[in-house]
């Protein structure tokens, strides 16, 4: 009954508005009204389900400036909180009132602005219009040109602009709260202040971006880029080949990266230089005095790595051949003169830099490091205490339990041990898979023993004995195997599907056998055929070229 419906419960879980009545309910607003959908119509109720705005509207908005826009008979009008129509249904667009007391409306493909009584403050005669959340100014378009108006309907500029840009201040749109307004005219740009006076005249710069919340903007002249402030002063000279906000954690950073000739320069969010003449950089966080701080890795023109803080202070000398992220941890992996070790944010060596390799496992939630030295591998925890001594040739965390299970190699044989060093799978395999994307899942290992292939569980139980020369896992029902130069097919339960008397067996990689009978291309006595999973011939005399073209990825 409640599927696809909405209701309200109290803090004890008791139904206040039961499911099954409403297709949608918004949270209660500050006046105790609940936006609701019943059937195909919209209205408002209170918590006792008293109808305040009747369910007779095809669409409805939340209240803005105490009015809600409603749709009826394909036209829009406005209701008050008592549900009374205060502005008739005559407009073609859903709209709402801003703090300047105006709503942008459309009628007969033309635009204008009305007040909360429905009076046209700016006549509905314009090609287009824009208003923003934070400002009282609005803009309108006539004959392809734009002009500014105030909230009283007074025209503040001529219709001379080809474009008037909008920017964002604290995630709300604005013309001028960030400092200046970017406008375009006749392929030139200018910046206006909130009084619409030209602070930066047309033609001074070739290109420009909107001002950001730090009240600065990127500009260019003659393909050279710089940064200006709201007074028109160049706080970064227009001398860089590129200037942009670099990507940081999937969003645009506030800092600036400028390229000049063969090097980069970093500027902070206010346009102040952080660091000069580097080849590359990246973002990171580390623990400094028990507090997580943002830092930048920098690579100098000689290919060496170090780190600086956000003000440009050198934290880690630029001497390392490699320098992995701290990732909010106390230590980072570095490479120096061909050897690996660990350092802290003060550049103190916390683990000797004399190892062949170090791997941080799950750096975002660091648990341990795998270390290789003198051709032996061991593990230390994040506090640099030993977990495994250097008794193994190789160590790799098991995909299915990276914290507690490890595939290890000892005396040229692979097995699995747990974190306490207990042997889970004996050391008897020359090869052991960790994870195979198209394999039987995370609970299994493909293994090789005495040059023969098989499959075991993560607890070491034999699923397919390692007695086969070749093993191709397709799915649980179709595992192609070869033994003594003869091919057959079994299931993961080791039940035979196709007997072992073919010279070759192929199956299309994309086929998983759920909705279609399996088809196997088989070679016997030098001739190809297609058989089903009962080994019945479906088609004979398949050309060798067709098989070669279809299964080239096998070879």
């Amino acid at each position: 009954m409640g599927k696809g419906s909405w209701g309200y419960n109290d803090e004890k879980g008791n139904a206040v508005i039961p499911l099954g009545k409403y297709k949608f309910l918004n949270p209660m607003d500050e006046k105790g009204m609940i936006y609701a959908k019943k059937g195909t119509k919209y209205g408002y109720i209170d918590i006792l389900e008293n109808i305040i705005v009747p369910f007779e509207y095809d669409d409805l908005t939340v209240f803005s400036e105490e009015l809600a826009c409603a749709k009826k008979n394909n036209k829009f009008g406005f209701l008050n909180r008592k549900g009374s129509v205060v502005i008739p249904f005559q407009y073609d667009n859903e709209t709402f009132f801003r703090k300047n007391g105006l709503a942008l409306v459309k009628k007969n493909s033309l635009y204008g602005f009305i007040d909360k009584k429905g009076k046209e403050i700016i006549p509905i005669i314009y090609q287009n219009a824009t208003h923003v959340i934070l400002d009282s100014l609005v803009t309108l378009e006539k004959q392809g040109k734009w002009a500014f108006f105030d909230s009283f309907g007074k025209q503040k500029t001529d219709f001379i602009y080809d474009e008037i840009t909008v920017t964002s201040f604290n995630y709300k749109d604005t013309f001028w709260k960030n400092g200046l307004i970017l406008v375009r005219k006749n392929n030139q740009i200018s910046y206006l202040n909130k009084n619409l006076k030209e602070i930066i005249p047309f033609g001074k710069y070739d290109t420009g971006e909107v001002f950001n919340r730090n009240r600065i903007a990127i500009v260019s002249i003659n393909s050279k880029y710089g940064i200006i402030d709201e007074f028109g002063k160049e706080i970064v000279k227009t001398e860089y080949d590129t200037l942009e906000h670099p990507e940081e954690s999937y969003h645009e950073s506030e800092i600036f990266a400028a390229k000049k000739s063969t090097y980069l320069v970093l500027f902070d969010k206010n346009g102040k230089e952080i660091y000069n003449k580097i080849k590359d950089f990246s973002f990171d966080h580390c623990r400094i005095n028990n507090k997580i701080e943002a830092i930048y890795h920098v690579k100098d023109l000689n290919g060496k790595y170090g780190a600086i803080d956000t003000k440009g202070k050198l934290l880690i000398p630029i001497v390392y051949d490699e320098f992995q992220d701290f990732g909010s941890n106390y230590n980072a992996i570095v490479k120096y003169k061909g050897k690996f070790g660990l350092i802290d944010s003060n550049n103190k060596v916390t683990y000797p830099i004399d190892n062949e390799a170090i791997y941080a496992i799950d750096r975002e939630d660091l648990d341990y490091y795998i270390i290789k030295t003198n051709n032996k591998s061991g593990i230390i925890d994040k506090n640099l205490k030993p977990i495994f001594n250097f008794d193994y040739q190789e160590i790799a965390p098991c995909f299915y339990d990276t914290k507690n299970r490890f595939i290890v190699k000892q005396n040229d044989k692979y097995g699995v041990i747990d974190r306490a060093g207990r042997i889970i799978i004996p050391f008897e395999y020359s090869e052991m898979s960790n994870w195979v994307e198209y394999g039987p899942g995370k609970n299994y290992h493909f293994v090789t023993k005495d040059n023969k292939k098989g499959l075991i569980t993560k607890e070491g139980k034999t699923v397919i004995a390692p007695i086969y020369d070749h093993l191709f896992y397709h799915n649980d029902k179709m595992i192609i195997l070869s033994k003594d130069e003869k091919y057959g097919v079994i299931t993961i339960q080791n039940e035979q599907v196709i007997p072992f008397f073919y010279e070759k067996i192929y199956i299309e990689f994309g086929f998983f056998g759920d909705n279609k009978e399996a088809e196997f291309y088989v070679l016997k006595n030098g001739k190809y055929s297609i058989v089903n999973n009962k080994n019945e011939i479906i088609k004979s005399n398949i050309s060798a070229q067709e098989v070669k073209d279809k299964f080239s990825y096998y070879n």
Side-chain angles (χ1 to χ4, degrees):
M1 179 179 177
K3 185 177 181 180
S5 67
W6 293 63
Y8 269 66
N9 287 350
D10 63 20
E11 65 274 8
K12 295 181 180 179
N14 300 314
V16 177
I17 300 177
L19 294 170
K21 291 185 178 182
Y22 302 99
K23 289 192 173 181
F24 179 77
L25 292 174
N26 226 25
M28 187 185 304
D29 69 16
E30 69 278 7
K31 297 292 179 69
M33 296 177 66
I34 302 169
Y35 172 86
K37 182 180 182 182
K38 191 173 185 180
T40 62
K41 301 295 184 180
Y42 294 85
Y44 273 87
I45 61 174
D46 63 19
I47 197 63
L48 300 176
E49 296 186 76
N50 296 311
I51 296 174
I52 303 171
V53 175
F55 289 92
E56 60 183 53
Y57 300 104
D58 302 318
D59 209 346
L60 191 61
T61 70
V62 296
F63 282 89
S64 174
E65 299 298 307
E66 298 302 297
L67 295 177
C69 186
K71 182 180 182 183
K72 192 172 185 179
N73 299 326
N74 288 321
K75 293 293 182 181
F76 292 87
F78 286 88
L79 315 174
N80 63 18
R81 286 193 176 272
K82 294 181 180 180
S84 302
V85 176
V86 294
I87 298 176
F89 293 89
Q90 56 182 307
Y91 304 109
D92 300 328
N93 64 316
E94 179 180 291
T95 184
F96 59 96
F97 282 92
R98 299 286 175 97
K99 289 183 178 180
N100 61 10
L102 300 181
L104 170 60
V105 292
K106 179 182 179 183
K107 187 188 289 189
N108 299 325
S109 298
L110 296 175
Y111 295 84
F113 288 88
I114 60 173
D115 66 14
K116 290 193 286 186
K117 294 182 179 179
K119 179 182 177 182
E120 290 186 15
I121 301 301
I122 299 175
I124 308 172
I125 59 173
Y126 296 98
Q127 293 171 283
N128 209 341
T130 301
H131 64 156
V132 294
I133 292 176
L134 295 179
D135 309 338
S136 60
L137 292 171
V138 299
T139 61
L140 293 110
E141 182 186 14
K142 182 173 70 174
Q143 297 178 349
K145 300 292 184 180
W146 290 82
F148 286 94
F149 286 69
D150 66 19
S151 58
F152 301 102
K154 182 178 180 180
Q155 186 173 335
K156 304 297 288 185
T157 69
D158 293 332
F159 284 89
I160 57 173
Y161 302 112
D162 298 313
E163 181 184 6
I164 298 171
T165 62
V166 173
T167 184
S168 177
F169 181 81
N170 291 335
Y171 306 105
K172 294 180 180 180
D173 54 0
T174 177
F175 291 116
W176 59 267
K177 290 289 186 185
N178 287 336
L180 298 177
I181 309 167
L182 172 62
V183 295
R184 303 182 192 276
K185 181 176 71 172
N186 300 328
N187 293 320
Q188 294 183 329
I189 67 164
S190 172
Y191 288 93
L192 315 179
N193 65 14
K194 65 179 181 180
N195 298 316
L196 308 181
K197 178 184 177 182
E198 284 185 20
I199 302 301
I200 297 172
F202 286 99
K204 181 171 182 178
Y205 295 108
D206 300 329
T207 66
E209 295 185 358
V210 295
F211 270 66
N212 64 21
R213 63 181 183 177
N214 299 310
R215 307 180 81 80
I216 56 179
I218 297 173
V219 293
S220 77
I221 184 169
N222 298 325
S223 298
K224 298 295 181 181
Y225 293 82
I227 300 173
I228 59 172
D229 66 16
E230 62 185 305
F231 305 105
K233 179 183 177 182
E234 283 189 10
I235 58 174
V236 174
K237 292 183 178 180
T238 49
E239 60 184 19
Y240 295 95
D241 302 323
T242 61
L243 183 58
E244 60 186 7
H245 296 287
E247 192 79 8
E248 177 186 6
S249 301
Y250 306 105
H251 65 86
E252 192 177 77
S253 172
E254 283 196 317
I255 72 168
F256 299 86
K259 183 178 181 181
K260 186 176 184 181
S261 186
T262 59
Y263 62 86
L264 296 176
V265 182
L266 299 182
F267 299 92
D268 70 13
K269 64 181 182 180
N270 298 310
K272 182 181 179 182
E273 184 178 301
I274 300 173
Y275 213 77
N276 201 343
K277 293 188 177 180
I278 56 175
K279 188 74 173 178
D280 203 358
F281 77 102
S282 62
F283 299 94
D284 191 14
H285 290 80
C286 71
R287 293 181 181 270
I288 301 176
N289 299 323
N290 293 321
K291 184 179 179 182
I292 295 177
E293 302 281 359
I295 64 170
Y296 307 125
H297 290 234
V298 293
K299 179 182 180 182
D300 72 8
L301 301 181
N302 296 314
K304 300 297 184 181
Y305 293 87
I308 58 175
D309 67 16
T310 55
K311 295 181 180 179
K313 178 184 176 182
L314 190 65
L315 297 174
I316 308 294
I318 306 174
V319 297
Y320 295 104
D321 303 316
E322 293 182 23
F323 180 12
Q324 297 185 23
D325 288 351
F326 282 95
S328 299
N329 298 305
Y330 286 103
N331 300 288
I333 298 170
V334 294
K335 183 181 181 183
Y336 182 69
K337 294 184 178 180
K339 296 293 184 177
F340 291 87
L342 300 175
I343 61 171
D344 65 16
S345 59
N346 294 314
N347 196 42
K348 178 184 176 182
V349 175
T350 54
Y351 197 86
I353 307 176
D354 58 8
N355 304 284
E356 294 156 31
I358 299 183
Y359 306 98
I361 305 303
D362 196 1
R363 195 173 300 149
E364 296 301 316
D365 184 22
L366 181 67
D367 189 26
Y368 56 86
Y369 299 94
I370 296 177
I371 299 176
K372 188 171 186 178
T373 187
N374 298 322
N375 291 317
K376 292 290 186 178
S377 295
I379 298 181
I380 60 174
D381 65 20
K382 64 182 178 180
N383 298 314
L384 313 185
K385 303 297 182 182
I387 296 176
F388 294 153
N389 293 325
F390 291 86
D391 298 328
Y392 304 101
Q393 293 166 277
E394 296 176 19
I395 300 176
C398 289
F399 173 77
Y400 49 78
D401 189 353
T402 59
K403 292 185 182 296
N404 301 299
R405 295 283 182 97
F406 304 88
I407 296 176
V408 296
K409 185 179 183 182
Q410 192 175 54
N411 299 322
D412 294 325
K413 298 295 183 182
Y414 289 95
V416 174
I417 62 176
D418 66 13
R419 196 179 182 109
R422 291 186 291 261
I423 297 174
I424 306 300
I425 298 176
F427 296 90
E428 56 185 51
Y429 301 102
S430 57
E431 295 177 331
M432 178 179 286
S433 70
N434 197 354
W435 177 74
V436 181
E437 185 176 2
Y438 299 107
K442 62 186 181 181
N443 297 316
Y444 298 87
H445 297 282
F446 291 112
V447 292
T448 302
K449 184 177 182 180
D450 299 327
N451 292 318
K452 300 296 183 180
K453 311 290 184 182
L455 184 69
I456 63 174
T457 70
K458 66 180 184 180
E459 305 302 333
K461 180 181 178 182
T462 298
V463 178
I464 299 173
I467 58 174
Y468 297 97
D469 303 315
H470 171 92
L471 186 154
F472 176 78
Y473 181 89
H474 188 73
N475 62 28
D476 290 357
K477 300 177 182 178
M478 300 172 202
I479 303 170
I480 300 174
L481 300 162
S482 72
K483 183 181 179 184
D484 300 328
E485 298 185 355
K486 295 296 183 181
Y487 284 78
V489 177
I490 66 171
T491 68
I492 204 168
Q493 289 79 29
N494 212 5
E495 298 170 348
Q496 184 173 279
V497 177
I498 302 293
F500 284 78
F501 54 57
Y502 292 106
E503 297 150 35
K504 274 288 187 181
I505 298 179
Y506 300 108
I507 188 170
E508 291 189 57
F509 186 72
F511 171 71
F512 292 94
D514 294 330
N515 302 312
K516 178 184 175 183
E517 185 180 60
E519 294 181 354
F520 302 91
Y521 287 71
V522 296
L523 177 65
K524 186 178 181 183
N525 299 325
K527 294 182 179 181
Y528 285 100
S529 304
I530 299 176
V531 301
N532 63 17
N533 59 4
K534 297 178 182 178
N535 199 35
E536 298 168 339
I537 295 177
I538 299 172
K539 188 176 180 181
S540 303
N541 300 319
I542 305 298
S543 73
Q545 187 62 46
E546 178 183 339
V547 175
K548 181 179 179 181
D549 293 343
K550 186 178 287 287
F551 299 106
S552 59
Y553 52 81
Y554 273 65
N555 301 316

